[in-house]
Amino acid sequence: VVSPDPVVTRHTVDFFLSHQTLSSNSHYRNSIRWQPRQLLGQVYVAPELVKRYYSLTMLGAADDNTRDLWSSLQHGLDPVSYALTNDGIGPLHELHVPKNMLTMMVAGIIKDEEDAPLRRNEYATRSLLNQIASAEEVFQTTKGDGRYGSLDELIAADLIQKYMTENNGYRVEVVIGGNKFEVRAAPLEYGQTGRLSFFIDGSLVMRAGDHGGGIATLSDQPVP
């Protein structure tokens, strides 16, 4: 087990010693019954991880129908499993995806087509906030002499390009105080230029929530 966090390593070891492993998990055993014994590689995505991913993507659902579909399907989510084998002819890749997950994927594709400009704004804004957070780290250790900089200072230091903050349909705000900083972004026109509001701070964890055009905060859910 390799991890930069000792707590995670200890947690994994404790589960192993108490025999709480994948081999003892019914979801895992049932999801790999289709796989041959001779495997070159295997991927298993647990139901809780699948559910968490779709919970985050559904934050930006625009209508009640999409949200209702998600609510009706999430309780029966099964694992996703993948196997790489070689029967002598060549490598064979197989991916098993639950039927209800495919339904949500199709719904998501349709939704993305309808809201393509809005989605692009959201993805661009997330990228911008990550860049601003990285720029703050650089500013603090160079021109800031230990302090973080305002958005204007980051632009003046050529760490962020001004045009990047003006063309994504979002208003971006940088709040600094002492040895902390927060970067927030909210849609200029809720439902037209974006639905999700974003937040990032010195932890470099991106957070998002649908606040009807209001600001996101530290209490919002992390997003991958």
Side-chain angles (χ1 to χ4, degrees):
V1 179
V2 179
S3 171
D5 188 345
V7 175
V8 173
T9 304
R10 183 73 258 175
H11 179 77
T12 305
V13 172
D14 288 343
F15 267 72
F16 175 78
L17 294 177
S18 62
H19 305 291
Q20 298 182 55
T21 62
L22 276 180
S23 61
S24 64
N25 184 284
S26 60
H27 276 302
Y28 173 74
R29 293 198 307 270
N30 292 333
S31 70
I32 65 167
R33 290 183 187 276
W34 62 271
Q35 296 179 356
R37 291 184 177 274
Q38 301 300 322
L39 287 174
L40 298 178
Q42 179 191 68
V43 175
Y44 168 77
V45 184
E48 281 301 313
L49 188 58
V50 176
K51 181 178 177 180
R52 180 182 176 188
Y53 170 78
Y54 273 98
S55 293
L56 293 172
T57 58
M58 285 300 111
L59 281 173
D63 53 69
D64 293 337
N65 290 334
T66 307
R67 294 180 189 274
D68 290 343
L69 174 63
W70 161 242
S71 298
S72 65
L73 294 175
Q74 65 170 318
H75 302 294
L77 280 176
D78 293 320
V80 175
S81 54
Y82 158 86
L84 171 61
T85 57
N86 192 325
D87 58 4
I89 300 176
L92 175 65
H93 304 268
E94 293 185 77
L95 175 68
H96 280 216
V97 180
K99 187 180 296 183
N100 48 8
M101 184 177 174
L102 287 173
T103 302
M104 286 187 288
M105 290 171 65
V106 171
I109 291 172
I110 294 173
K111 188 65 197 163
D112 284 343
E113 289 178 351
E114 293 175 351
D115 294 342
L118 180 149
R119 296 291 188 185
R120 283 196 296 268
N121 286 345
E122 291 180 344
Y123 290 138
T125 300
R126 285 182 56 176
S127 176
L128 172 62
L129 261 63
N130 278 319
Q131 292 182 57
I132 292 176
S134 297
E136 288 285 12
E137 298 293 321
V138 174
F139 186 89
Q140 183 197 36
T141 57
T142 55
K143 298 188 177 183
D145 293 327
R147 69 175 182 85
Y148 294 111
S150 66
L151 185 57
D152 287 339
E153 287 177 313
L154 297 180
I155 293 173
D158 205 26
L159 295 173
I160 293 292
Q161 300 300 313
K162 186 176 181 179
Y163 76 90
M164 297 169 60
T165 68
E166 299 175 334
N167 301 313
N168 295 329
Y170 272 73
R171 58 179 178 276
V172 178
E173 177 186 24
V174 175
V175 179
I176 55 176
N179 61 345
K180 297 180 180 180
F181 74 87
E182 295 179 354
V183 189
R184 309 163 184 164
L188 288 173
E189 297 181 55
Y190 176 74
Q192 299 298 317
T193 62
R195 290 191 183 87
L196 295 181
S197 297
F198 299 97
F199 173 96
I200 195 170
D201 60 7
S203 68
L204 304 184
V205 175
M206 181 71 65
R207 299 177 183 275
D210 188 336
H211 296 284
I215 64 170
T217 68
L218 186 61
S219 62
D220 280 295
Q221 285 188 323
V223 293

